[in-house]
Amino acid sequence: MTDLTADAVSTDLEALQLHLRSILASVPDGMIVINEKGQILAFSSAAEKLFGYKAEDVIGQDVSQLMGGHDQSNHQNYIGAYLKTGKRHIIGVGRVVSAKRSDGTMFPVDLKIGEARVGDSFLFTAFVRDLSEQRRNELRMQEMQAELVHFSRMSAVGTMASALAHELNQPLTAVANYLEAGRDLLDSDSEDAHEILHEALDEASRQAVRAGEIVRKLRGYVSRGEIDARSVPLTPLLTDSIALARISGDLADIPIDKQIVSDIGAVMADPIQVQQVIINLLRNAAEALHGVAAPQIFLGASRGPDDFITVEVCDNGPGMSEEVRQTLFKPFMTSKSQGMGLGLSICQTIVEAHGGKIEAIPSADGGTCFRFTLRRDAAS
Ligand code: ADP
C-alpha cells in the first residue's frame, strides 16, 4: 500500500517534471527559474536563444550574470529586501530592464516575475521578452518624425531667408547708390552739390531705416501671434530638442549633462518654437566649444521664479566679450564668418512672445549660460 503511494507520488513527480520540461521547451518568452539565493534552476529554450547560453552552462549559476550595470551588482539585495519586507517592486508588476547576452552585449527586455512558495522558501520565475526590435522601430519612428520636423523647419527658414534677401536687396541697393552719388558729389564744383549731397545722405539714411524695419517685421513674422501655446510637458520637449540637434550633426559628440527637476511639469508653449530656441542655444554652445579640450554642455530646468520655469543652456567654452554681450540679441550681430546673426534675435522674439525673458550670463567655468523662462502650466 505504502509502496503504491510512493509509486503514485514518483509518477506524479515524473509527470510534473515532464510537464515542466515541455513548458521550458515551448514557452515563447525566455523563462528563468531561480531560488532565493539567485541561483538559476531552470532556463527555457527561448532564454537560451535570447541570452546565447545553453541551459546546462547557466543552471546553478548566479542569475545576475544575465543583467547589466546597477541591477547586476544589486540583484541579491533586491531579493533580500523583498524577502525581509515583502514589498513588491517588480514582482507581479513588470519592468523594462537591460539584459546581458553571453557575448557581453546588452539588450532591452520586458521582465515579469512571478513567485511561488515551496515549503519555507521561495522560487521566482522570470519571463523575459526581447524588446530590441520594438525599440529599433520606435527609434526609427522618432528619427523619421524628427527628420520631418527638421525638414519642414529648414524649408520655413529657407523661405524666410529668401524673402528677407529679396526685401532687403532693394533698400540696400538704394543706400549704396545714394552713397556712391554722394562720393561723386564730393569732387564736384557745382554750386548746389552741398545741398544734393545732403539730400542723398538723408535718403541713404531713410533707406537704411527701412531695411531695419524689414528686419523688425521679420521678427514679428516669426512670432506673429501665431503662438499655439498649450500645455507641453517640458522633459520630453528638452529631450526631443537634443535628439533633433544631434540628428542634424550640430552637436558632434559633445556630452550633454541634463539636469531636469523630476517634477518639472509642463509649460504653456508652442513646442515647435520652443524647440527652435533650445536647438539654437545648443548649436551656439557647440560652435563656441570648437577646439575646447573637454567640451561639455549643460542643459538644466528648474521651477521658478514665481509661475515660471527656468531653462538653462551652458557651455564651458571661451565665454564672450562685454562688447558681444551688449549686442547679442540684435539681428545680424555675428562673430562667425558663416553666421547670420539671427539665431539669438529669433530666440528672444520667441521667448518674449511666450511671456518669458532670455539673458546670457557668464558660467562658473568661464563659458556662457543662456537662461530663459517659460510660463508653467499651473495644472501640471
Ligand atoms: P550666429 O550664430 O549666426 O552668429 P546668433 O544670433 O545665434 O547668430 O549668435 C550671435 C553671436 O553671439 C555669435 O556670433 C557669437 O559671437 C555669440 N554667441 C552666441 N552663443 C554663444 C556662446 N554660447 N558662447 C560664446 N558666444 C556666443
Side-chain angles (χ1 to χ4, degrees), residues 280-289 313-315 317-321 324-325 327-347 360 367-370:
N280 248 312
L281 297 180
L282 289 172
R283 189 178 299 151
N284 275 349
E287 283 173 1
L289 287 168
V313 178
C314 304
D315 60 67
M320 58 178 73
S321 67
V324 171
R325 195 190 318 284
T327 55
L328 210 51
F329 296 102
K330 295 220 166 88
F332 305 116
M333 288 301 174
T334 179
S335 60
K336 302 165 194 166
S337 54
Q338 305 282 322
M340 284 260 286
L342 276 176
L344 287 176
S345 153
I346 291 174
C347 287
T368 307
C369 265
F370 280 88

Side-chain angles (χ1 to χ4, degrees), residues 222-242:
V222 175
S223 65
R224 198 180 38 195
E226 283 169 7
I227 290 176
D228 172 23
R230 53 195 159 91
S231 178
V232 186
L234 188 61
T235 306
L237 185 72
L238 296 177
T239 319
D240 285 355
S241 307
I242 296 179

Side-chain angles (χ1 to χ4, degrees), residues 210-353:
R210 214 185 119 205
E213 266 164 16
I214 290 170
V215 172
R216 256 192 304 284
K217 254 198 272 159
L218 171 86
R219 285 171 39 128
Y221 162 80
V222 175
S223 65
R224 198 180 38 195
E226 283 169 7
I227 290 176
D228 172 23
R230 53 195 159 91
S231 178
V232 186
L234 188 61
T235 306
L237 185 72
L238 296 177
T239 319
D240 285 355
S241 307
I242 296 179
L244 277 169
R246 284 233 186 267
I247 284 172
S248 64
D250 293 332
L251 301 185
D253 291 331
I254 302 173
I256 299 187
D257 176 15
K258 222 170 17 152
Q259 285 189 24
I260 304 169
V261 173
S262 59
D263 61 345
I264 193 76
V267 288
M268 295 306 295
D270 177 337
I272 298 289
Q273 294 205 10
V274 172
Q275 260 180 9
Q276 200 173 333
V277 172
I278 299 159
I279 292 170
N280 248 312
L281 297 180
L282 289 172
R283 189 178 299 151
N284 275 349
E287 283 173 1
L289 287 168
H290 271 310
V292 169
Q296 173 80 48
I297 296 178
F298 167 86
L299 177 66
S302 53
R303 288 192 171 206
D306 304 325
D307 297 337
F308 286 85
I309 277 175
T310 302
V311 179
E312 260 190 348
V313 178
C314 304
D315 60 67
N316 60 346
M320 58 178 73
S321 67
E322 193 47 40
E323 194 193 342
V324 171
R325 195 190 318 284
Q326 294 295 331
T327 55
L328 210 51
F329 296 102
K330 295 220 166 88
F332 305 116
M333 288 301 174
T334 179
S335 60
K336 302 165 194 166
S337 54
Q338 305 282 322
M340 284 260 286
L342 276 176
L344 287 176
S345 153
I346 291 174
C347 287
Q348 187 184 40
T349 310
I350 292 175
V351 170
E352 290 181 356

Side-chain angles (χ1 to χ4, degrees), residues 42-350:
F43 201 71
S44 74
S45 304
E48 290 183 325
K49 279 204 201 85
L50 267 182
F51 288 91
Y53 287 110
K54 287 257 146 247
E56 57 264 33
D57 296 336
V58 284
I59 285 180
Q61 305 271 329
D62 197 306
V63 72
S64 64
Q65 75 183 69
L66 306 176
M67 306 170 189
H70 199 64
D71 287 338
Q72 180 165 30
S73 40
N74 282 299
H75 187 254
Q76 201 47 43
N77 296 343
Y78 297 158
I79 300 184
Y82 171 65
L83 293 175
K84 212 152 125 202
T85 63
K87 234 196 212 158
R88 294 173 164 198
H89 288 289
I90 185 161
I91 292 174
V93 184
R95 190 186 287 177
V96 175
V97 297
S98 282
K100 190 154 82 180
R101 295 193 185 89
S102 59
D103 63 5
T105 53
M106 306 294 296
F107 63 110
V109 296
D110 183 27
L111 174 65
K112 289 202 172 60
I113 297 179
E115 62 177 329
R117 199 184 187 114
V118 185
D120 281 343
S121 52
F122 280 96
L123 289 182
F124 300 99
T125 306
F127 293 93
V128 182
R129 180 167 297 173
D130 186 1
L131 294 180
S132 313
E133 185 61 28
Q134 193 182 331
R135 278 292 149 93
R136 263 196 297 276
N137 287 340
E138 280 170 11
L139 212 66
R140 184 71 205 121
M141 279 302 288
Q142 270 175 13
E143 274 172 9
M144 271 159 45
Q145 270 171 353
E147 275 166 23
L148 207 65
V149 172
H150 186 62
F151 179 75
S152 61
R153 185 172 307 146
M154 284 317 287
S155 71
V157 169
T159 312
M160 215 163 71
S162 68
L164 179 71
H166 183 77
E167 294 241 0
L168 282 179
N169 197 32
Q170 205 239 331
L172 291 179
T173 312
V175 170
N177 288 344
Y178 283 119
L179 291 178
E180 268 173 36
R183 187 196 54 212
D184 294 346
L185 280 167
L186 283 176
D187 301 330
S188 157
D189 303 330
S190 155
E191 289 230 329
D192 35 41
H194 186 83
E195 202 179 320
I196 302 176
L197 178 62
H198 209 280
E199 263 177 41
L201 290 182
D202 263 356
E203 200 51 44
S205 121
R206 249 196 303 281
Q207 292 297 330
V209 170
R210 214 185 119 205
E213 266 164 16
I214 290 170
V215 172
R216 256 192 304 284
K217 254 198 272 159
L218 171 86
R219 285 171 39 128
Y221 162 80
V222 175
S223 65
R224 198 180 38 195
E226 283 169 7
I227 290 176
D228 172 23
R230 53 195 159 91
S231 178
V232 186
L234 188 61
T235 306
L237 185 72
L238 296 177
T239 319
D240 285 355
S241 307
I242 296 179
L244 277 169
R246 284 233 186 267
I247 284 172
S248 64
D250 293 332
L251 301 185
D253 291 331
I254 302 173
I256 299 187
D257 176 15
K258 222 170 17 152
Q259 285 189 24
I260 304 169
V261 173
S262 59
D263 61 345
I264 193 76
V267 288
M268 295 306 295
D270 177 337
I272 298 289
Q273 294 205 10
V274 172
Q275 260 180 9
Q276 200 173 333
V277 172
I278 299 159
I279 292 170
N280 248 312
L281 297 180
L282 289 172
R283 189 178 299 151
N284 275 349
E287 283 173 1
L289 287 168
H290 271 310
V292 169
Q296 173 80 48
I297 296 178
F298 167 86
L299 177 66
S302 53
R303 288 192 171 206
D306 304 325
D307 297 337
F308 286 85
I309 277 175
T310 302
V311 179
E312 260 190 348
V313 178
C314 304
D315 60 67
N316 60 346
M320 58 178 73
S321 67
E322 193 47 40
E323 194 193 342
V324 171
R325 195 190 318 284
Q326 294 295 331
T327 55
L328 210 51
F329 296 102
K330 295 220 166 88
F332 305 116
M333 288 301 174
T334 179
S335 60
K336 302 165 194 166
S337 54
Q338 305 282 322
M340 284 260 286
L342 276 176
L344 287 176
S345 153
I346 291 174
C347 287
Q348 187 184 40
T349 310
I350 292 175

